[in-house]
Amino acid sequence: MDKWIARLTELENKMIEWRRHMHRNPELSFQETATAAFVAETLHGFGGIEVRTGVGGNGVVGTIVGGKPGPTLALRADFDALPIHDEKDVPYKSTVSGVMHACGHDGHTAALLAVAQILSEDRENLAGTIVLLHQHAEESPPGGAKAMIEDGCLDGVDEVYGIHLASLQPYGQIGYKHGYLTASADLFDISIQGKGGHGASPHHTIDAIALGAQLITELQLLVSRRVDPMHPSVLTVGSFHAGSAHNVIADQAKMIGTVRTFQEEARDTIQQGITKLTEGLCHSFDATCKIEYTRGYPATFNHHKETDEVIRILKQNEIAELVELPAMMGGEDFSYYLQEKPGCFFMVGAAFEDRQNFPHHHPKFDFDERALMMSAKAFLAIVDGRLNAAPITPEAEIASV
């Protein structure tokens, strides 16, 4: 481990260079052809890595086979950007109008590339195999993880680990959470078709705006009165559109929104409730409706034994201050990997100490690049700790859930 850290120190400037190159040249989800080519070319340049491209779309998978037998660990980094205009005044500002890395994915990728170079150089001493999951399209459902899994990226993998830089978490911290870390993220689209008419004669109409407004209120009862209060849930209507004139009663109203849950029972209850409430309300007033409900990423569930191992390893190597996180209502498609294999997803603090910090998906998002070193150190420590540790038996893992 010490020689890996020494080599990582030598690569720190290279990591920053990789990160800034991607930050200047962002690509949206499912459009990351140049980024995928950059990642694949960089991995090829290290030597000793089997590189597979086009995995589930634009995904890139690198495999490092160690010189000694042992388990197979997968490490994941995503590399897509967001449709946000970069408002930072920095030398590495995005050169693509309306597109920027506003969530740290460029940092995830740079850190994993450094890990790949170090492990490839020392592969003869590795007691096992490392699978590098460079994933596309985390930001846009259906996402890249599911497609990459279907394309075999986890074949033969025993455990899977991932990181996420956190721009509002202090640098020097790593956050962990047993069990549910992020929520499922679903979407709904509702259209109400009524009957328009003159604003002075509401009795001759079926007012789509009135029905829509009533529905928004009724939908909140699903969370407060239908879902177990011990199962945190959020239903948000994010957009409502209807009408265009002062004195005209609208014949149509449209709304869209999101549902966030952890337990599948709550997820099912809310989905079914949206349909029943909407259809029932519209039927009562002789209106019609169209409902589209899209299930997004499932909740991210960190396996207890693997999370305990991450905590033990990071403490033993004094990588960072460890803090236990609350569950978050954001979505993350790393959840698909954890449905297939045991593992852990954790957060690496990346807040600046001397300037204002902005949240993820903000036009001025940025992070302290020292967090690249911490991310890579955490990955390397997990590789060292898990390849040299006793296997976690399926019986022990099942008992811990």
Side-chain angles (χ1 to χ4, degrees), residues 141-142 185-187 264 267-269 271 293-297 336:
D186 298 345
L187 306 174
E264 285 297 304
R267 196 181 194 186
D268 292 340
T269 296
Q271 180 179 356
Y293 192 96
T294 304
R295 289 209 167 201
Y297 307 150
Y336 287 116

Side-chain angles (χ1 to χ4, degrees), residues 1-2 5 8 171-174 309-323 346 348 370 373-382 384-385:
M1 181 65 181
D2 289 342
I5 299 301
L8 181 62
Y171 168 75
Q173 289 185 355
I174 287 181
E309 280 295 290
V310 167
I311 295 169
R312 178 188 67 81
I313 290 166
L314 296 182
K315 281 184 177 179
Q316 179 180 316
N317 288 277
E318 300 180 342
I319 299 299
E321 175 192 358
L322 296 178
V323 295
F346 54 96
V348 178
R370 292 180 299 169
M373 281 287 289
M374 184 168 292
S375 300
K377 284 180 180 179
F379 269 148
L380 290 171
I382 289 170
D384 181 62

Side-chain angles (χ1 to χ4, degrees), residues 42-203:
T42 304
L43 291 174
H44 276 300
F46 299 152
I49 302 178
E50 177 188 333
V51 181
R52 187 159 71 99
T53 60
V55 181
N58 290 327
V60 179
V61 175
T63 302
I64 303 172
V65 179
K68 305 172 186 177
T72 297
L73 304 186
L75 309 175
R76 179 268 211 163
D78 38 15
F79 56 59
D80 56 326
L82 285 155
I84 299 172
H85 187 72
D86 194 349
E87 295 181 3
K88 295 190 303 300
D89 184 17
V90 293
Y92 49 89
K93 180 177 179 178
S94 170
T95 61
V96 182
S97 179
V99 182
M100 71 171 289
H101 275 287
C103 205
H105 295 186
D106 50 342
H108 306 164
T109 302
L112 190 56
L113 287 174
V115 169
Q117 181 167 359
I118 291 166
L119 296 181
S120 67
E121 293 171 351
D122 198 33
R123 59 188 178 278
E124 292 303 319
N125 294 314
L126 284 180
T129 298
I130 302 300
V131 177
L132 309 159
L133 303 175
H134 286 280
Q135 184 202 309
H136 64 298
E138 187 279 329
E139 295 288 0
S140 298
K146 191 171 186 292
M148 289 183 66
I149 292 168
E150 292 169 351
D151 203 5
C153 74
L154 291 182
D155 291 355
V157 168
D158 296 303
E159 300 168 17
V160 59
Y161 297 93
I163 60 164
H164 203 301
L165 293 169
S167 66
L168 300 183
Q169 183 176 340
Y171 168 75
Q173 289 185 355
I174 287 181
Y176 68 90
K177 175 75 167 66
H178 291 87
Y180 290 111
L181 175 64
T182 68
S184 60
D186 298 345
L187 306 174
F188 62 86
D189 295 65
I190 298 173
S191 296
I192 296 173
Q193 184 63 55
K195 178 183 176 183
H198 199 290
S201 304
H203 57 297

